Amino acid sequence: MATIPAQDRDILRELGREIAAAAADPVNEERREIHRAIQERKPLRPSITIFQEPWAELNGSGELDLQCSDGFCRGIEQGMRRQLYKRRHYPGDMTVGAVSVQAQCVSDTGFGINVHEETLAREAGADVVSHHYDVQIKDEADIAKIKEPVVAHDAARTEELYQQRCEIFDGILDVRVGKTGGFWFAPWDLLVQWTGVQEVLLDMALRPEYVHKVIGRLVDCWNTRLDQYEDLGLLSAPTEKLGCSGAAQIFSEVSPAMHGEFALQYEARFLKRFGRVYYGCCEPLHDKVDICAEYLPNMFKISMSPWVDFPKAVRNVGNRFIFAWKPNPAFVATDEWDPDLVRQDIREKLAMAVEGGCTLEIHLKDISTVRNDPRRLTEWEKIAREETERCMQ
């Protein structure tokens, strides 16, 4: 087993003490109670979560600087520093546990096709870039390029890294091996990187049978992957006791009927294996609530992106599902920070949701920039907290 540098161990143990202190804060149980109530659709108030932030812009203070030298230690350090940074500056309803989790060392051969693309960054070091994909699947003959993945677990390596964590955090944090608790399942997000976006959208009208075959093949391969996770004992529980998240983000302008035909009927082959499904991401689903519910009877939460017709979304979701509202991240990316605009937007949306009986989660995500002004996230979180507490009075 590799030796952990003494200095790295000291750095991580000190961070571990900070995590343990944060985990002992009674606010964690208050927030867990909020999350539990939402899962039962009996909210004490809407929950607030901020993630997918532009980390390259947030380190003006140096709080996120890594000090460890060993690669394994630096990976642990980065996660801990980011967790503590969020807790200090924009915690929302995050909770902290006195635990360090070692992921299983799982390898996966993938689907046999490497993405060929050009990217363009807004500025050096940006977390979000634009993509242009080279088309690699053009007709039915190319579908054979999609291969079944082969999954393997290096149990010895997992145990070695687990023991290293135990050595580092002995007496400070509870160290565990984290088995897979769910998947992000968005086959269309991947498929368009091989087919081209415009091309495959046109094919739905011009070559529907080809589209059925290509998406069907990819979902079959996803199910083969899941079979292997089950056979290898890599899941944290049987799939019927786990949740899964799915989406078809390029279907924003596709009709509900075509969404059902080309996405949901195939996604359901995978998602039906899980106990609960959270569906959607950036695609507006205000007109697709019923079609999603039809194909996904185990759906318990649905995404409502910044581009939904919000009043219609409220009417169509009601209290049937958890309403995962995604406020517009552009509000923290403007030339001039406008907290009044943020407050007005949150207040108006909360009023509609409460009147409509919705069980609301608020997810500020997909944050491409804060214009190198991290305080915007701190102020956004403060406003959101004030308004969620106000709306429940």
Side-chain angles (χ1 to χ4, degrees):
M1 185 170 69
T3 301
I4 298 297
Q7 183 177 0
D8 289 5
R9 183 175 184 272
D10 291 343
I11 291 168
L12 294 180
R13 286 180 66 80
E14 182 56 37
L15 289 171
R17 293 184 185 96
E18 291 186 53
I19 294 289
D25 190 332
V27 74
N28 289 292
E29 186 52 38
E30 296 173 16
R31 292 172 182 168
R32 291 187 186 102
E33 181 59 30
I34 289 169
H35 293 302
R36 284 192 291 265
I38 288 174
Q39 297 306 302
E40 297 173 2
R41 299 208 296 279
K42 300 175 181 177
L44 302 176
R45 63 165 174 80
S47 64
I48 302 164
T49 306
I50 301 173
F51 59 109
Q52 294 181 347
E53 50 269 72
W55 289 107
E57 297 185 17
L58 304 185
N59 195 30
S61 64
E63 292 175 70
L64 296 167
D65 288 344
L66 300 183
Q67 300 172 18
C68 290
S69 59
D70 176 77
F72 173 65
C73 293
R74 285 173 70 85
I76 299 173
E77 180 188 8
Q78 182 181 74
M80 297 174 80
R81 289 196 185 279
R82 288 183 175 184
Q83 185 179 30
L84 291 166
Y85 182 96
K86 289 169 71 89
R87 185 176 183 274
R88 283 191 292 266
H89 297 289
Y90 49 90
D93 289 301
M94 70 176 290
T95 60
V96 179
V99 62
S100 181
V101 178
Q102 174 57 51
Q104 299 171 112
C105 296
V106 176
S107 62
D108 188 321
T109 60
F111 297 105
I113 306 177
N114 294 322
V115 174
H116 298 161
E117 63 174 334
E118 298 177 19
T119 61
L120 180 65
R122 181 180 57 83
E123 60 182 23
D127 296 274
V128 178
V129 299
S130 62
H131 304 259
H132 173 74
Y133 301 108
D134 294 334
V135 175
Q136 300 181 70
I137 296 181
K138 299 179 180 179
D139 52 39
E140 291 190 20
D142 290 330
I143 296 175
K145 295 178 181 178
I146 304 175
K147 306 299 184 183
E148 294 183 345
V150 177
V151 178
H153 176 215
D154 188 341
R157 181 59 174 161
T158 297
E159 178 63 19
E160 179 182 359
L161 296 180
Y162 167 73
Q163 292 298 336
Q164 288 182 343
R165 282 188 190 249
C166 289
E167 176 192 338
I168 292 167
F169 296 115
D170 181 41
I172 298 175
L173 298 177
D174 179 21
V175 179
R176 304 172 188 170
V177 172
K179 292 192 171 187
T180 301
F183 293 88
W184 167 246
F185 174 68
W188 272 106
D189 286 15
L190 179 59
L191 187 59
V192 297
Q193 297 177 47
W194 305 332
T195 63
V197 177
Q198 178 175 301
E199 291 84 351
V200 80
L201 288 173
L202 287 172
D203 284 335
M204 290 179 198
L206 301 177
R207 297 191 294 169
E209 290 307 313
Y210 155 68
V211 178
H212 282 297
K213 289 178 180 179
V214 69
I215 184 60
R217 170 60 178 169
L218 181 54
V219 171
D220 287 345
C221 291
W222 262 97
N223 271 312
T224 297
R225 170 186 277 163
L226 181 55
D227 290 341
Q228 293 173 75
Y229 268 79
E230 291 181 322
D231 293 343
L232 293 169
L234 300 177
L235 301 178
S236 61
T239 53
E240 62 269 20
K241 295 184 180 298
L242 297 177
C244 188
S245 298
Q249 296 183 84
I250 69 157
F251 279 57
S252 60
E253 302 306 315
V254 171
S255 71
M258 292 184 75
H259 196 124
E261 178 183 354
F262 292 103
L264 286 163
Q265 74 160 315
Y266 293 98
E267 293 162 341
R269 294 182 186 175
F270 184 84
L271 295 173
K272 70 181 180 182
R273 298 174 66 173
F274 292 85
R276 301 207 300 174
V277 169
Y278 169 25
Y279 192 78
C281 191
C282 291
E283 70 277 35
L285 295 174
H286 56 270
D287 279 330
K288 299 179 179 179
V289 178
D290 288 340
I291 195 76
C292 290
E294 177 184 339
Y295 281 95
L296 305 173
N298 52 348
M299 184 174 73
F300 80 105
K301 186 192 303 188
I302 187 165
S303 170
M304 289 296 148
S305 78
W307 299 279
V308 299
D309 179 325
F310 200 87
K312 185 178 288 188
V314 167
R315 291 194 301 271
N316 289 339
V317 175
N319 196 36
R320 293 192 291 164
F321 311 103
I322 297 171
F323 187 118
W325 174 42
K326 317 293 178 53
N328 197 333
F331 287 172
V332 297
T334 51
D335 290 339
E336 299 294 331
W337 167 236
D338 189 348
D340 291 335
L341 179 62
V342 169
R343 187 178 298 277
Q344 178 184 352
D345 179 62
I346 293 175
R347 182 173 295 186
E348 289 177 353
K349 299 296 197 315
L350 285 176
M352 284 187 273
V354 170
E355 183 178 356
C358 297
T359 301
L360 204 68
E361 292 181 349
I362 303 175
H363 302 174
L364 180 63
K365 60 186 290 285
D366 300 307
I367 308 165
S368 61
T369 181
V370 291
R371 298 299 183 91
N372 293 296
D373 183 8
R375 69 183 176 87
R376 295 185 181 192
L377 294 182
T378 300
E379 293 185 25
W380 191 98
E381 190 265 357
K382 179 175 181 291
I383 292 168
R385 181 168 302 282
E386 291 171 352
E387 292 302 316
T388 56
E389 291 174 351
R390 176 182 177 277
C391 79
M392 301 305 289
Q393 293 176 355

